[in-house]
Coordinates of all heavy atoms in Angstrom, one line a residue:
M1 N 0.8 -1.2 0.0 CA 0.0 0.0 0.0 C 0.9 1.2 0.0 O 0.7 2.1 -0.8 CB -0.9 0.0 1.3 CG -2.3 -0.5 1.1 SD -3.0 -0.3 -0.6 CE -4.6 0.2 -0.2
Q2 N 1.8 1.2 1.0 CA 2.7 2.4 1.1 C 3.5 2.7 -0.2 O 3.6 3.8 -0.7 CB 3.7 2.2 2.2 CG 4.3 3.5 2.7 CD 3.3 4.4 3.3 OE1 2.2 4.1 3.7 NE2 3.7 5.7 3.4
T3 N 3.9 1.6 -0.8 CA 4.7 1.7 -2.1 C 3.9 2.3 -3.2 O 4.3 3.2 -3.9 CB 5.3 0.4 -2.5 OG1 5.9 -0.2 -1.4 CG2 6.2 0.5 -3.6
A4 N 2.6 1.8 -3.3 CA 1.8 2.3 -4.3 C 1.5 3.8 -4.2 O 1.4 4.5 -5.2 CB 0.4 1.5 -4.3
R5 N 1.3 4.2 -2.9 CA 0.9 5.6 -2.7 C 2.2 6.5 -3.1 O 2.0 7.5 -3.7 CB 0.5 5.8 -1.3 CG -0.1 7.2 -1.1 CD -0.5 7.6 0.2 NE -1.1 6.5 1.0 CZ -1.0 6.4 2.3 NH1 -0.3 7.4 3.0 NH2 -1.5 5.4 2.9
H6 N 3.4 6.0 -2.7 CA 4.5 6.7 -3.1 C 4.7 6.9 -4.6 O 5.0 8.0 -5.1 CB 5.8 6.1 -2.5 CG 6.1 6.5 -1.1 ND1 6.6 7.7 -0.8 CD2 5.9 5.9 0.1 CE1 6.7 7.8 0.5 NE2 6.3 6.7 1.1
S7 N 4.5 5.8 -5.3 CA 4.7 5.9 -6.7 C 3.7 6.8 -7.4 O 4.0 7.5 -8.4 CB 4.7 4.5 -7.4 OG 3.5 3.9 -7.2
S8 N 2.4 6.8 -6.9 CA 1.4 7.6 -7.5 C 1.7 9.1 -7.2 O 1.5 10.0 -8.0 CB 0.0 7.3 -7.1 OG -0.2 7.4 -5.8
T9 N 2.3 9.4 -6.0 CA 2.7 10.8 -5.7 C 3.8 11.2 -6.6 O 3.8 12.3 -7.1 CB 3.1 10.8 -4.2 OG1 2.0 10.4 -3.4 CG2 3.5 12.2 -3.9
A10 N 4.8 10.3 -6.8 CA 5.9 10.6 -7.7 C 5.4 10.9 -9.1 O 5.9 11.8 -9.7 CB 6.9 9.4 -7.7
L11 N 4.4 10.1 -9.5 CA 3.9 10.2 -10.9 C 3.2 11.6 -11.0 O 3.4 12.4 -12.0 CB 2.9 9.2 -11.2 CG 2.3 9.2 -12.6 CD1 3.3 9.1 -13.7 CD2 1.2 8.1 -12.7
L12 N 2.5 12.0 -10.0 CA 1.8 13.3 -10.0 C 2.8 14.4 -10.1 O 2.6 15.4 -10.8 CB 0.9 13.4 -8.7 CG 0.1 14.7 -8.6 CD1 -0.9 14.8 -9.8 CD2 -0.7 14.7 -7.3
I13 N 3.8 14.3 -9.3 CA 4.8 15.4 -9.3 C 5.5 15.5 -10.7 O 5.6 16.6 -11.2 CB 5.9 15.1 -8.2 CG1 5.2 15.4 -6.8 CG2 7.1 16.0 -8.4 CD1 6.1 14.8 -5.7
L14 N 5.7 14.3 -11.3 CA 6.3 14.3 -12.6 C 5.4 14.9 -13.6 O 5.8 15.8 -14.4 CB 6.6 12.8 -13.0 CG 7.2 12.6 -14.5 CD1 8.5 13.3 -14.6 CD2 7.2 11.2 -14.8
L15 N 4.1 14.6 -13.5 CA 3.1 15.2 -14.4 C 3.0 16.7 -14.3 O 2.9 17.5 -15.2 CB 1.7 14.6 -14.2 CG 1.6 13.1 -14.7 CD1 0.3 12.6 -14.3 CD2 1.8 13.1 -16.3
L16 N 3.1 17.2 -13.0 CA 3.0 18.6 -12.7 C 4.3 19.3 -13.3 O 4.2 20.4 -13.9 CB 3.0 18.9 -11.2 CG 1.6 18.6 -10.6 CD1 1.7 18.7 -9.1 CD2 0.6 19.6 -11.1
Q17 N 5.4 18.7 -13.2 CA 6.7 19.2 -13.7 C 6.5 19.3 -15.2 O 6.9 20.3 -15.8 CB 7.9 18.4 -13.3 CG 8.2 18.6 -11.8 CD 9.3 17.6 -11.4 OE1 9.5 16.6 -12.0 NE2 10.0 18.0 -10.3
L18 N 6.0 18.3 -15.9 CA 5.9 18.3 -17.3 C 5.0 19.4 -17.7 O 5.2 20.1 -18.7 CB 5.4 16.9 -17.8 CG 6.3 15.8 -17.9 CD1 5.6 14.5 -18.2 CD2 7.5 16.1 -18.8
A19 N 3.9 19.6 -17.0 CA 2.9 20.6 -17.3 C 3.4 22.0 -17.2 O 3.2 22.9 -18.1 CB 1.6 20.5 -16.4
I20 N 4.3 22.2 -16.2 CA 4.9 23.5 -16.1 C 5.9 23.8 -17.1 O 6.0 24.9 -17.7 CB 5.5 23.7 -14.6 CG1 4.4 23.7 -13.6 CG2 6.4 24.9 -14.5 CD1 4.8 23.3 -12.1
A21 N 6.7 22.7 -17.5 CA 7.7 22.9 -18.4 C 7.3 23.0 -19.8 O 8.0 23.4 -20.7 CB 8.8 21.7 -18.2
S22 N 6.1 22.4 -20.1 CA 5.6 22.3 -21.5 C 5.2 23.7 -22.1 O 4.3 24.3 -21.5 CB 4.4 21.3 -21.5 OG 3.9 21.4 -22.9
P23 N 5.9 24.1 -23.2 CA 5.5 25.4 -23.8 C 4.0 25.3 -24.4 O 3.4 26.3 -24.6 CB 6.5 25.6 -24.8 CG 7.1 24.3 -25.1 CD 6.9 23.5 -23.8
A24 N 3.6 24.0 -24.6 CA 2.3 23.9 -25.3 C 1.2 24.5 -24.4 O 0.2 25.0 -25.0 CB 2.0 22.4 -25.4
L25 N 1.3 24.4 -23.2 CA 0.2 24.8 -22.3 C 0.2 26.4 -22.2 O -0.7 27.0 -21.7 CB 0.3 24.2 -20.9 CG 0.1 22.7 -20.9 CD1 0.2 22.2 -19.5 CD2 -1.2 22.3 -21.7
A26 N 1.3 27.0 -22.6 CA 1.3 28.5 -22.6 C 0.5 29.1 -23.8 O 0.2 30.3 -23.7 CB 2.8 28.9 -22.6
G27 N 0.3 28.3 -24.7 CA -0.4 28.8 -26.0 C -1.9 29.0 -25.8 O -2.5 28.5 -24.8
V28 N -2.5 29.6 -26.8 CA -3.9 29.7 -26.8 C -4.5 28.8 -27.8 O -3.8 28.2 -28.6 CB -4.4 31.2 -27.1 CG1 -3.8 32.1 -26.0 CG2 -4.0 31.6 -28.5
V29 N -5.8 28.6 -27.7 CA -6.6 27.8 -28.7 C -7.2 28.8 -29.8 O -7.9 29.7 -29.5 CB -7.6 27.0 -28.0 CG1 -8.5 26.2 -29.1 CG2 -7.0 26.0 -27.1
V30 N -6.8 28.5 -31.0 CA -7.4 29.3 -32.1 C -8.4 28.4 -32.8 O -8.1 27.3 -33.3 CB -6.3 29.6 -33.2 CG1 -6.9 30.3 -34.4 CG2 -5.2 30.4 -32.6
R31 N -9.7 28.8 -32.7 CA -10.8 28.0 -33.2 C -11.2 28.3 -34.6 O -11.4 29.5 -34.9 CB -12.0 28.2 -32.2 CG -13.1 27.2 -32.5 CD -14.0 27.1 -31.3 NE -13.4 26.4 -30.1 CZ -13.3 26.9 -28.9 NH1 -13.7 28.1 -28.6 NH2 -12.7 26.2 -28.0
I32 N -11.3 27.3 -35.4 CA -11.8 27.5 -36.8 C -13.0 26.7 -37.0 O -13.0 25.4 -36.8 CB -10.7 27.1 -37.8 CG1 -9.4 28.0 -37.6 CG2 -11.2 27.2 -39.2 CD1 -8.2 27.5 -38.4
K33 N -14.1 27.3 -37.4 CA -15.4 26.5 -37.7 C -15.4 26.1 -39.0 O -14.8 26.7 -40.0 CB -16.5 27.5 -37.4 CG -16.7 28.0 -36.0 CD -17.9 29.0 -35.9 CE -17.9 29.6 -34.5 NZ -18.9 30.7 -34.5
I34 N -16.0 24.9 -39.2 CA -16.2 24.4 -40.5 C -17.7 24.2 -40.7 O -18.4 23.4 -39.9 CB -15.5 23.0 -40.8 CG1 -14.1 23.1 -40.5 CG2 -15.8 22.5 -42.2 CD1 -13.4 21.7 -40.6
A35 N -18.3 24.9 -41.6 CA -19.8 24.8 -41.9 C -20.0 25.1 -43.4 O -19.3 25.9 -44.0 CB -20.5 25.8 -41.0
D36 N -20.9 24.4 -43.9 CA -21.2 24.5 -45.4 C -20.0 24.4 -46.2 O -19.8 25.2 -47.1 CB -22.0 25.9 -45.6 CG -23.2 26.0 -44.8 OD1 -23.9 25.0 -44.6 OD2 -23.6 27.1 -44.3
M37 N -19.2 23.5 -45.9 CA -18.0 23.1 -46.7 C -17.0 24.3 -46.9 O -16.4 24.6 -47.9 CB -18.4 22.8 -48.2 CG -19.5 21.8 -48.2 SD -19.1 20.1 -47.6 CE -18.3 19.5 -49.1
A38 N -16.8 25.0 -45.7 CA -15.8 26.1 -45.7 C -15.2 26.3 -44.4 O -15.8 26.0 -43.3 CB -16.5 27.4 -46.2
F39 N -13.9 26.6 -44.3 CA -13.2 27.0 -43.1 C -13.5 28.4 -42.7 O -13.4 29.3 -43.7 CB -11.7 26.8 -43.3 CG -11.2 25.4 -43.6 CD1 -10.8 25.1 -44.8 CD2 -11.3 24.4 -42.6 CE1 -10.4 23.8 -45.1 CE2 -10.9 23.2 -42.8 CZ -10.4 22.8 -44.1
S40 N -13.9 28.7 -41.5 CA -14.2 30.1 -41.1 C -13.7 30.4 -39.7 O -14.1 29.8 -38.7 CB -15.7 30.3 -41.2 OG -16.1 31.5 -40.7
P41 N -12.8 31.4 -39.6 CA -12.2 32.1 -40.7 C -11.2 31.2 -41.4 O -10.6 30.4 -40.9 CB -11.5 33.3 -39.9 CG -11.2 32.8 -38.6 CD -12.3 31.8 -38.3
A42 N -11.1 31.6 -42.7 CA -10.2 30.8 -43.5 C -8.8 31.2 -43.3 O -7.9 30.4 -43.7 CB -10.6 31.0 -45.0
D43 N -8.5 32.4 -42.8 CA -7.2 32.9 -42.7 C -7.0 33.3 -41.2 O -7.7 34.2 -40.7 CB -7.1 34.2 -43.6 CG -5.6 34.7 -43.8 OD1 -4.8 34.3 -43.0 OD2 -5.4 35.3 -44.8
V44 N -6.1 32.6 -40.5 CA -5.8 33.0 -39.1 C -4.4 33.2 -38.8 O -3.5 32.7 -39.6 CB -6.4 31.9 -38.1 CG1 -7.9 31.6 -38.3 CG2 -5.6 30.5 -38.3
T45 N -4.1 33.9 -37.8 CA -2.7 34.0 -37.3 C -2.6 33.4 -35.9 O -3.6 33.3 -35.2 CB -2.3 35.5 -37.2 OG1 -3.2 36.2 -36.3 CG2 -2.3 36.2 -38.5
A46 N -1.4 32.8 -35.6 CA -1.2 32.1 -34.3 C 0.3 32.2 -34.0 O 1.1 32.7 -34.9 CB -1.7 30.7 -34.5
K47 N 0.7 31.7 -32.9 CA 2.0 31.6 -32.5 C 2.4 30.2 -32.3 O 1.6 29.3 -31.9 CB 2.2 32.4 -31.2 CG 2.1 33.9 -31.4 CD 2.5 34.7 -30.1 CE 2.6 36.2 -30.5 NZ 2.8 37.0 -29.3
V48 N 3.7 30.0 -32.3 CA 4.3 28.7 -32.0 C 3.8 28.3 -30.6 O 3.9 29.1 -29.7 CB 5.8 28.6 -32.2 CG1 6.4 27.4 -31.5 CG2 6.2 28.8 -33.6
G49 N 3.3 27.1 -30.3 CA 2.8 26.7 -29.0 C 1.3 26.8 -29.0 O 0.7 26.2 -28.1
D50 N 0.7 27.6 -29.8 CA -0.8 27.6 -29.9 C -1.3 26.3 -30.4 O -0.6 25.6 -31.1 CB -1.3 28.8 -30.7 CG -1.0 30.2 -30.0 OD1 -0.6 30.2 -28.9 OD2 -1.2 31.2 -30.7
T51 N -2.6 26.1 -30.2 CA -3.3 25.0 -30.7 C -4.4 25.4 -31.6 O -5.2 26.4 -31.2 CB -3.9 24.1 -29.6 OG1 -2.8 23.7 -28.7 CG2 -4.7 22.9 -30.1
V52 N -4.5 24.8 -32.8 CA -5.7 25.2 -33.7 C -6.7 24.1 -33.4 O -6.4 22.9 -33.3 CB -5.3 25.1 -35.1 CG1 -6.5 25.3 -36.0 CG2 -4.2 26.2 -35.4
E53 N -8.0 24.5 -33.2 CA -9.0 23.6 -33.1 C -10.1 23.8 -34.2 O -10.7 24.9 -34.3 CB -9.7 23.8 -31.7 CG -10.9 22.8 -31.5 CD -11.6 23.1 -30.2 OE1 -12.2 24.1 -30.0 OE2 -11.5 22.2 -29.2
W54 N -10.3 22.8 -35.0 CA -11.3 22.8 -36.0 C -12.6 22.2 -35.5 O -12.6 21.1 -34.9 CB -10.9 22.1 -37.3 CG -9.8 22.8 -38.1 CD1 -10.0 23.7 -39.0 CD2 -8.4 22.6 -38.0 NE1 -8.8 24.1 -39.6 CE2 -7.8 23.4 -39.0 CE3 -7.6 21.7 -37.2 CZ2 -6.4 23.4 -39.2 CZ3 -6.2 21.8 -37.5 CH2 -5.7 22.6 -38.4
V55 N -13.7 22.9 -35.6 CA -15.0 22.4 -35.2 C -15.8 22.1 -36.5 O -16.3 23.1 -37.1 CB -15.7 23.5 -34.3 CG1 -17.0 23.0 -33.8 CG2 -14.7 23.9 -33.1
N56 N -16.0 20.9 -36.7 CA -16.7 20.5 -37.9 C -18.3 20.3 -37.7 O -18.7 19.4 -37.1 CB -16.1 19.2 -38.4 CG -16.7 18.8 -39.8 OD1 -17.6 19.4 -40.4 ND2 -16.3 17.6 -40.3
S57 N -19.0 21.3 -38.2 CA -20.5 21.3 -38.0 C -21.1 20.6 -39.2 O -22.4 20.5 -39.2 CB -21.0 22.7 -37.9 OG -20.4 23.3 -36.8
D58 N -20.3 20.2 -40.2 CA -21.0 19.6 -41.4 C -21.3 18.1 -41.1 O -20.9 17.5 -40.1 CB -20.0 19.7 -42.6 CG -20.0 21.0 -43.2 OD1 -21.0 21.8 -43.1 OD2 -19.0 21.4 -43.9
F59 N -22.1 17.6 -42.0 CA -22.4 16.1 -41.9 C -21.5 15.2 -42.7 O -21.8 14.1 -42.9 CB -23.9 15.9 -42.3 CG -24.9 16.6 -41.4 CD1 -25.4 17.8 -41.7 CD2 -25.2 16.0 -40.2 CE1 -26.3 18.5 -40.9 CE2 -26.0 16.7 -39.3 CZ -26.6 17.9 -39.7
V60 N -20.4 15.8 -43.1 CA -19.4 15.0 -43.8 C -18.0 15.2 -43.2 O -17.8 16.3 -42.6 CB -19.3 15.4 -45.4 CG1 -20.6 14.9 -46.1 CG2 -19.0 16.8 -45.6
D61 N -17.1 14.3 -43.3 CA -15.8 14.4 -42.8 C -15.0 15.4 -43.7 O -15.2 15.5 -44.8 CB -15.1 13.1 -42.8 CG -15.7 12.0 -42.0 OD1 -16.5 12.4 -41.1 OD2 -15.4 10.8 -42.1
H62 N -14.0 16.0 -43.0 CA -13.1 16.9 -43.7 C -11.7 16.7 -43.2 O -11.5 16.0 -42.2 CB -13.4 18.4 -43.4 CG -14.8 18.8 -43.9 ND1 -15.1 18.9 -45.3 CD2 -15.9 19.3 -43.3 CE1 -16.3 19.3 -45.4 NE2 -16.8 19.6 -44.2
T63 N -10.8 17.2 -43.9 CA -9.3 17.2 -43.3 C -8.8 18.6 -43.4 O -9.3 19.4 -44.2 CB -8.4 16.3 -44.2 OG1 -8.1 16.9 -45.5 CG2 -9.0 14.9 -44.4
A64 N -7.8 18.9 -42.6 CA -7.0 20.1 -42.8 C -5.6 19.6 -43.1 O -4.9 19.0 -42.3 CB -7.0 20.9 -41.5
T65 N -5.2 19.7 -44.4 CA -4.1 19.1 -44.9 C -3.1 20.2 -45.4 O -3.5 20.9 -46.4 CB -4.4 18.1 -46.1 OG1 -5.3 17.1 -45.6 CG2 -3.1 17.4 -46.5
A66 N -1.9 20.3 -44.8 CA -1.0 21.3 -45.2 C -0.5 21.0 -46.6 O -0.2 19.9 -46.9 CB 0.1 21.4 -44.2
K67 N -0.4 22.0 -47.4 CA 0.0 21.8 -48.8 C 1.4 21.2 -49.0 O 1.6 20.3 -49.8 CB 0.0 23.2 -49.6 CG -1.3 23.3 -50.3 CD -1.3 24.6 -51.1 CE -2.8 24.8 -51.7 NZ -3.0 26.2 -52.0
D68 N 2.3 21.6 -48.1 CA 3.7 21.1 -48.2 C 3.9 19.9 -47.3 O 5.1 19.5 -47.1 CB 4.7 22.2 -48.0 CG 4.5 23.3 -49.0 OD1 4.3 23.0 -50.2 OD2 4.6 24.5 -48.7
G69 N 2.9 19.4 -46.7 CA 2.9 18.1 -46.0 C 3.3 18.0 -44.5 O 3.4 16.9 -44.0
P70 N 3.5 19.1 -43.8 CA 3.9 18.9 -42.4 C 2.8 18.4 -41.5 O 3.2 17.8 -40.5 CB 4.3 20.4 -42.0 CG 3.6 21.3 -42.9 CD 3.5 20.6 -44.2
W71 N 1.6 18.5 -41.9 CA 0.5 17.9 -41.1 C -0.7 17.6 -41.9 O -0.9 18.2 -43.0 CB 0.2 18.8 -39.9 CG 0.2 20.3 -40.1 CD1 1.3 21.1 -39.8 CD2 -0.8 21.1 -40.6 NE1 0.9 22.4 -40.0 CE2 -0.4 22.5 -40.6 CE3 -2.1 20.9 -41.1 CZ2 -1.1 23.5 -41.0 CZ3 -2.9 22.0 -41.5 CH2 -2.4 23.2 -41.5
D72 N -1.5 16.7 -41.4 CA -2.7 16.2 -42.1 C -3.7 15.8 -41.0 O -3.5 14.8 -40.3 CB -2.4 15.0 -43.0 CG -3.6 14.6 -43.8 OD1 -4.6 15.3 -43.8 OD2 -3.5 13.4 -44.3
V73 N -4.7 16.6 -40.8 CA -5.5 16.4 -39.6 C -6.9 16.0 -40.1 O -7.5 16.6 -41.0 CB -5.7 17.7 -38.8 CG1 -6.6 17.5 -37.6 CG2 -4.3 18.3 -38.4
M74 N -7.4 14.9 -39.6 CA -8.7 14.4 -39.9 C -9.7 15.0 -38.9 O -9.6 15.0 -37.8 CB -8.7 12.8 -39.7 CG -10.0 12.2 -40.0 SD -10.3 12.2 -41.8 CE -12.0 11.6 -41.8
I75 N -10.8 15.6 -39.6 CA -11.9 16.2 -38.8 C -13.2 15.6 -39.2 O -13.9 15.9 -40.1 CB -11.9 17.7 -39.1 CG1 -10.5 18.3 -39.1 CG2 -12.8 18.4 -38.0 CD1 -10.3 19.6 -40.0
V76 N -13.6 14.6 -38.3 CA -14.7 13.8 -38.6 C -16.0 14.7 -38.5 O -16.1 15.6 -37.7 CB -14.8 12.6 -37.6 CG1 -16.1 11.8 -37.6 CG2 -13.6 11.7 -37.8
A77 N -17.0 14.3 -39.2 CA -18.3 15.0 -39.2 C -18.8 15.2 -37.8 O -18.9 14.2 -37.0 CB -19.3 14.3 -40.0
G78 N -19.2 16.4 -37.4 CA -19.7 16.7 -36.1 C -18.7 16.7 -34.9 O -19.1 16.8 -33.8
K79 N -17.5 16.6 -35.3 CA -16.5 16.5 -34.2 C -15.4 17.6 -34.3 O -15.5 18.4 -35.2 CB -15.7 15.1 -34.3 CG -16.6 13.9 -34.2 CD -16.9 13.5 -32.8 CE -17.6 12.2 -32.7 NZ -18.1 12.0 -31.4
T80 N -14.6 17.7 -33.3 CA -13.5 18.7 -33.4 C -12.2 17.9 -33.5 O -12.1 16.7 -33.1 CB -13.5 19.5 -32.1 OG1 -13.2 18.7 -31.0 CG2 -14.8 20.3 -31.9
A81 N -11.2 18.6 -34.0 CA -9.8 18.0 -34.0 C -8.8 19.2 -33.7 O -9.2 20.3 -34.0 CB -9.6 17.4 -35.4
T82 N -7.7 18.8 -33.2 CA -6.8 19.9 -32.8 C -5.4 19.6 -33.4 O -5.1 18.4 -33.7 CB -6.6 20.0 -31.3 OG1 -6.3 18.7 -30.7 CG2 -7.9 20.4 -30.6
L83 N -4.6 20.6 -33.5 CA -3.3 20.5 -34.0 C -2.5 21.5 -33.2 O -2.8 22.7 -33.1 CB -3.2 20.9 -35.5 CG -1.8 21.1 -36.1 CD1 -1.1 19.7 -36.2 CD2 -1.8 21.8 -37.4
Q84 N -1.4 21.1 -32.6 CA -0.5 22.0 -31.9 C 0.5 22.5 -32.9 O 1.2 21.8 -33.6 CB 0.2 21.3 -30.8 CG 0.9 22.3 -29.9 CD 1.8 21.6 -28.9 OE1 1.5 20.5 -28.4 NE2 2.9 22.2 -28.5
L85 N 0.7 23.8 -32.9 CA 1.7 24.5 -33.8 C 3.0 24.4 -33.3 O 3.2 25.1 -32.2 CB 1.2 25.9 -34.2 CG -0.2 25.9 -34.8 CD1 -0.8 27.3 -34.8 CD2 -0.2 25.3 -36.1
T86 N 4.0 23.8 -34.0 CA 5.3 23.7 -33.4 C 6.3 24.4 -34.2 O 7.5 24.5 -33.9 CB 5.7 22.2 -33.3 OG1 5.6 21.6 -34.6 CG2 4.8 21.5 -32.3
K87 N 5.9 25.0 -35.4 CA 6.9 25.6 -36.3 C 6.3 26.9 -36.8 O 5.1 27.0 -37.2 CB 7.1 24.7 -37.5 CG 8.5 24.0 -37.5 CD 8.6 23.2 -38.8 CE 8.9 24.1 -40.0 NZ 9.1 23.2 -41.2
A88 N 7.1 27.9 -36.9 CA 6.7 29.2 -37.5 C 6.6 29.1 -39.0 O 7.4 28.3 -39.6 CB 7.7 30.3 -37.1
G89 N 5.8 29.9 -39.6 CA 5.7 29.8 -41.0 C 4.3 30.1 -41.5 O 3.4 30.3 -40.7
T90 N 4.1 30.1 -42.8 CA 2.8 30.3 -43.4 C 2.4 29.0 -43.9 O 3.1 28.4 -44.8 CB 2.8 31.4 -44.5 OG1 3.2 32.6 -43.9 CG2 1.4 31.5 -45.1
F91 N 1.2 28.5 -43.5 CA 0.8 27.1 -43.8 C -0.5 27.2 -44.6 O -1.5 27.6 -44.0 CB 0.7 26.3 -42.7 CG 2.0 26.1 -41.9 CD1 2.3 26.8 -40.8 CD2 2.9 25.1 -42.3 CE1 3.5 26.7 -40.1 CE2 4.1 25.0 -41.6 CZ 4.4 25.8 -40.5
N92 N -0.5 27.0 -45.9 CA -1.7 26.9 -46.7 C -2.2 25.5 -46.5 O -1.4 24.5 -46.6 CB -1.4 27.3 -48.1 CG -1.1 28.7 -48.3 OD1 -2.0 29.6 -48.2 ND2 0.1 29.1 -48.6
Y93 N -3.5 25.3 -46.3 CA -4.0 23.9 -46.2 C -5.3 23.8 -47.0 O -5.9 24.8 -47.4 CB -4.2 23.6 -44.7 CG -5.2 24.3 -43.9 CD1 -6.5 23.8 -43.8 CD2 -4.9 25.5 -43.3 CE1 -7.5 24.4 -43.1 CE2 -5.9 26.2 -42.6 CZ -7.2 25.6 -42.5 OH -8.1 26.3 -41.7
F94 N -5.7 22.6 -47.1 CA -6.9 22.2 -47.9 C -7.5 21.0 -47.3 O -7.0 20.4 -46.5 CB -6.6 22.1 -49.4 CG -5.7 21.0 -49.7 CD1 -6.2 19.7 -50.1 CD2 -4.3 21.1 -49.5 CE1 -5.4 18.7 -50.4 CE2 -3.5 20.0 -49.7 CZ -4.0 18.8 -50.2
C95 N -8.7 20.7 -47.8 CA -9.4 19.5 -47.4 C -9.2 18.4 -48.5 O -9.4 18.8 -49.7 CB -10.9 19.7 -47.2 SG -11.8 18.1 -47.0
R96 N -8.6 17.2 -48.2 CA -8.4 16.3 -49.2 C -9.6 15.8 -49.9 O -9.5 15.3 -51.1 CB -7.6 15.1 -48.6 CG -6.2 15.3 -48.4 CD -5.5 14.0 -47.9 NE -5.6 13.7 -46.5 CZ -6.3 12.6 -46.0 NH1 -6.8 11.8 -46.8 NH2 -6.4 12.5 -44.7
F97 N -10.7 15.8 -49.2 CA -12.0 15.3 -49.8 C -12.7 16.4 -50.7 O -13.4 16.0 -51.6 CB -13.0 14.8 -48.7 CG -12.3 13.9 -47.7 CD1 -12.5 14.0 -46.4 CD2 -11.6 12.8 -48.2 CE1 -12.0 13.1 -45.5 CE2 -11.0 11.9 -47.4 CZ -11.2 12.0 -46.0
H98 N -12.4 17.6 -50.4 CA -13.0 18.8 -51.1 C -11.9 19.8 -51.3 O -11.9 20.8 -50.5 CB -14.2 19.4 -50.2 CG -15.0 18.3 -49.6 ND1 -14.9 17.9 -48.3 CD2 -16.0 17.5 -50.2 CE1 -15.8 16.9 -48.0 NE2 -16.6 16.7 -49.1
P99 N -11.1 19.6 -52.3 CA -9.9 20.5 -52.4 C -10.2 22.0 -52.6 O -9.3 22.8 -52.6 CB -9.2 19.9 -53.7 CG -9.7 18.5 -53.8 CD -11.1 18.5 -53.3
N100 N -11.5 22.3 -52.9 CA -11.8 23.7 -53.0 C -12.0 24.4 -51.6 O -12.0 25.6 -51.6 CB -13.1 23.9 -53.8 CG -14.3 23.1 -53.2 OD1 -14.1 22.0 -52.8 ND2 -15.4 23.8 -53.1
M101 N -11.9 23.6 -50.6 CA -11.9 24.1 -49.2 C -10.5 24.4 -48.9 O -9.7 23.5 -48.8 CB -12.5 23.1 -48.2 CG -13.9 22.8 -48.4 SD -14.4 21.5 -47.2 CE -14.1 22.2 -45.6
T102 N -10.1 25.7 -48.7 CA -8.8 26.0 -48.4 C -8.8 27.0 -47.2 O -9.7 27.7 -46.8 CB -8.1 26.7 -49.6 OG1 -8.8 27.9 -49.9 CG2 -8.1 25.8 -50.8
G103 N -7.6 27.0 -46.6 CA -7.4 27.9 -45.4 C -5.9 28.3 -45.3 O -5.1 27.7 -46.0
K104 N -5.6 29.2 -44.4 CA -4.2 29.6 -44.2 C -4.0 29.9 -42.7 O -4.8 30.6 -42.1 CB -3.9 30.8 -45.1 CG -2.4 31.2 -45.0 CD -2.1 32.3 -46.0 CE -2.2 33.7 -45.4 NZ -1.8 34.8 -46.3
I105 N -2.9 29.4 -42.2 CA -2.5 29.6 -40.9 C -1.1 30.3 -40.9 O -0.1 29.7 -41.4 CB -2.4 28.4 -40.0 CG1 -3.8 27.6 -40.0 CG2 -2.1 28.8 -38.5 CD1 -3.8 26.3 -39.3
S106 N -1.0 31.5 -40.4 CA 0.3 32.2 -40.4 C 0.8 32.1 -38.9 O 0.1 32.7 -38.0 CB 0.1 33.7 -40.7 OG -0.4 33.8 -42.0
V107 N 1.9 31.4 -38.7 CA 2.4 31.1 -37.4 C 3.6 31.9 -37.2 O 4.6 31.7 -37.9 CB 2.7 29.6 -37.2 CG1 3.1 29.3 -35.8 CG2 1.5 28.7 -37.7
S108 N 3.7 32.8 -36.1 CA 4.9 33.5 -35.8 C 5.6 32.9 -34.6 O 5.0 32.2 -33.8 CB 4.5 35.0 -35.5 OG 3.6 35.0 -34.4
A109 N 6.9 33.1 -34.5 CA 7.7 32.6 -33.5 C 7.2 33.2 -32.1 O 6.7 34.3 -32.2 CB 9.1 32.9 -33.7
N110 N 7.3 32.4 -31.1 CA 6.7 32.9 -29.8 C 7.7 33.8 -29.1 O 8.9 33.7 -29.1 CB 6.5 31.7 -28.9 CG 5.3 31.9 -28.1 OD1 4.9 33.1 -27.8 ND2 4.6 30.8 -27.6
Ligands
LIG201 CU1 -13.9 18.6 -46.8

């Protein structure tokens, strides 16, 4: 019993240290809605460490696929999906299922 309690306390401390050290938690969430086969807003700015959250209100699946390939996010119908931004740059993206759906994320260094 004593050993188990010690190890769970150690784990909790480790998790707290990771949470404090992680730059990811310092960022904000940039929300992009998907409705009627379009990203809205289509053009957003963010910083390294921020998280993009796509909210798919459509009845079909979409993706957010970066043109030059650094990421490809599946956004199931009626669900949300997130992506943590780890690199600065301008990322043009599209939906693989509906290539006329496009967006842009401009990521600046933190
Ligand atoms: Cu789509």
